Amino acid sequence: MTYRIEERLLHFKQPAGTSRGVYTTRKIWLIHLSDGQHEGVGECAPLPDLSCDAMLDAEYAATLNKFCTDVCKALEGHNGDCPQCVLSMVPALRDYPSMLFGLETALLNLLHGDDLFDTAFSRGEAGIPINGLVWMGNHEEMLKRMEEKLELGFRCVKLKIGAIDFDQELDLIKRIRSRFSFHEIELRLDANGAFPYDEALYKLELLSQYAIHSIEQPIRQGQWAYMAELCRESPLPIALDEELIGVNDPAMKRHMLNIIKPRYIILKPSLHGGMTGCREWIETARDLGIDSWITSALESNIGLNAIAQFASSVYGDCITMPQGLGTGQLFTDNIPMPLVIRGDQLWRCR
């Protein structure tokens, strides 16, 4: 077993704004895993200042090299064919979710080729419903982007909020709802932790006038007691996202969900434990009556393809809840993959 690591810098077609800042480029590492006859490729894409395994580029590359060496040694004579095998061979990877996800994907690709999982989506027989994503910008930019998503046929749209004046964001949502009822368009909001706790409930009450499906991470992560109180009192269903980052121990996952009791959790394999860790989150959440969906985290098409196939394996061939898998069109220099958006569904072309 051998490997090589390829560094790439992707460029956004337009600046991607969140409440934490604006992205114009995206650094990723591709793992090429080989057994001498076949090769598998996986993507490692940590997000600066967000991923629990984000670090300086040189340190990240050195750590990834060490884990790749450990996995290759462990794979000698090993017949493991599931993502969980990577973690069982190198348990320390649990705290490095972006690296774990890259190695899981590379192993699946090496062993199974392009169809990482045996699902209707992987075979090109079914699509996955996805939400359209409207990035932060000024009022007019966001309204224009919203109209573009609706014209493309999306029936579920996610708005990033928290970067401009809240009254302007509220006015934007009001204008959207004046044109499209909740029967026509499902609106999801993502605050990325932008609301101060002492203002959060008031803002959630104002937003609740407009038939919002859910809001992600209204306050910054790490405030379990405050978040639990918001989940109890909020007129809007709350979804956890950043709150899950760095919670990699299975027992701690259950403990946290028991305390906060959100309506939803939103899972990104690059951030939340790779495929193995996300399966743990989903199974634990199901036990507690909490729903979930899966999204990408600004990966290239390599990562997006793996995440979409993983979602189809977790939720089955008849996914009805829109997933967050529409980010493959963000980059000017993306990596070609057989992925296409038709209406409001993501498909693999065969």
Side-chain angles (χ1 to χ4, degrees):
M1 298 295 298
T2 60
Y3 73 91
R4 66 182 176 90
I5 296 173
E6 174 189 0
E7 294 186 18
R8 286 210 182 191
L9 186 67
L10 304 176
H11 299 81
F12 284 89
K13 293 179 181 178
Q14 61 186 28
T18 76
S19 61
R20 289 183 301 272
V22 178
Y23 294 108
T24 57
T25 60
R26 180 80 165 99
K27 185 69 172 287
I28 65 170
W29 286 259
L30 298 179
I31 300 170
H32 299 261
L33 193 63
S34 175
D35 62 4
Q37 294 181 315
H38 305 94
E39 182 177 272
V41 181
E43 177 179 355
C44 304
L47 282 167
D49 302 319
L50 185 60
S51 299
C52 64
D53 56 355
M55 54 191 82
L56 295 176
D57 288 354
E59 184 182 0
Y60 189 91
T63 305
L64 181 58
N65 266 287
K66 178 184 181 303
F67 280 129
C68 287
T69 300
D70 293 344
V71 168
C72 282
K73 288 179 180 178
L75 282 172
E76 294 292 343
H78 192 281
N79 295 319
D81 63 352
C82 61
Q84 291 90 331
C85 295
V86 176
L87 190 56
S88 66
M89 289 183 285
V90 186
L93 272 166
R94 182 176 286 278
D95 292 326
Y96 298 84
S98 66
M99 300 183 197
L100 174 58
F101 175 60
L103 281 161
E104 289 172 328
T105 303
L107 179 59
L108 286 170
N109 190 205
L110 174 69
L111 294 171
H112 302 300
D114 292 339
D115 295 352
L116 307 183
F117 297 94
D118 184 18
T119 68
F121 172 78
S122 296
R123 296 189 297 270
E125 299 168 359
I128 297 176
I130 62 175
N131 62 251
L133 178 61
V134 175
W135 289 97
M136 289 179 178
N138 63 43
H139 187 276
E140 294 306 316
E141 287 173 342
M142 292 182 72
L143 184 60
K144 180 182 177 182
R145 292 169 190 169
M146 183 72 188
E147 290 171 342
E148 289 171 351
K149 294 300 179 185
L150 300 180
E151 289 173 2
L152 289 171
F154 285 97
R155 293 295 171 262
C156 175
V157 178
K158 172 178 166 178
L159 292 172
K160 292 272 191 178
I161 64 172
I164 63 175
D165 179 73
F166 179 74
D167 289 336
Q168 291 186 46
E169 292 174 334
L170 200 63
D171 180 64
L172 172 66
I173 294 168
K174 180 180 179 180
R175 290 171 67 177
I176 293 168
R177 270 290 172 248
S178 69
R179 291 177 53 193
F180 301 96
S181 74
F182 70 93
H183 296 293
E184 297 170 288
I185 294 294
E186 178 180 286
L187 282 180
R188 297 175 177 175
L189 303 179
D190 184 1
N192 287 124
F195 296 167
Y197 167 71
D198 57 359
E199 299 175 9
L201 188 58
Y202 173 67
K203 291 182 174 180
L204 294 176
E205 289 171 349
L206 292 177
L207 290 167
S208 68
Q209 304 172 71
Y210 302 108
I212 304 300
H213 172 270
S214 58
I215 184 166
E216 296 178 38
Q217 204 69 42
I219 62 174
R220 62 178 173 81
Q221 66 267 39
Q223 305 177 88
W224 290 11
Y226 286 161
M227 187 67 83
E229 181 179 348
L230 281 181
C231 287
R232 287 195 305 270
E233 302 295 332
S234 172
L236 286 182
I238 290 177
L240 301 187
D241 180 354
E242 288 92 340
E243 200 73 65
L244 312 179
I245 296 172
V247 183
N248 299 316
D249 177 72
M252 187 59 68
K253 293 176 181 180
R254 181 174 293 273
H255 180 59
M256 189 193 77
L257 293 181
N258 260 321
I259 290 174
I260 298 179
K261 295 181 172 62
R263 177 71 176 275
Y264 303 102
I265 59 172
I266 302 170
L267 297 161
K268 301 176 174 71
S270 291
L271 295 177
H272 301 135
M275 299 184 199
T276 304
C278 285
R279 283 189 187 274
E280 292 173 351
W281 277 115
I282 291 167
E283 291 168 4
T284 301
R286 281 175 177 165
D287 287 347
L288 299 173
I290 298 167
D291 288 331
S292 64
W293 67 86
I294 290 173
T295 83
S296 53
L298 307 183
E299 294 89 356
S300 77
N301 279 335
I302 297 288
L304 177 62
N305 173 64
I307 294 167
Q309 292 198 55
F310 171 65
S312 70
S313 76
V314 170
Y315 297 125
D317 291 336
C318 298
I319 299 176
T320 56
M321 179 176 286
Q323 309 292 298
L325 304 174
T327 58
Q329 299 174 318
L330 288 176
F331 304 109
T332 60
D333 44 6
N334 211 334
I335 299 165
M337 289 292 289
L339 297 172
V340 62
I341 295 176
R342 298 172 183 162
D344 64 349
Q345 291 193 335
L346 181 69
W347 287 76
R348 286 190 79 227
C349 301
R350 300 301 299 272

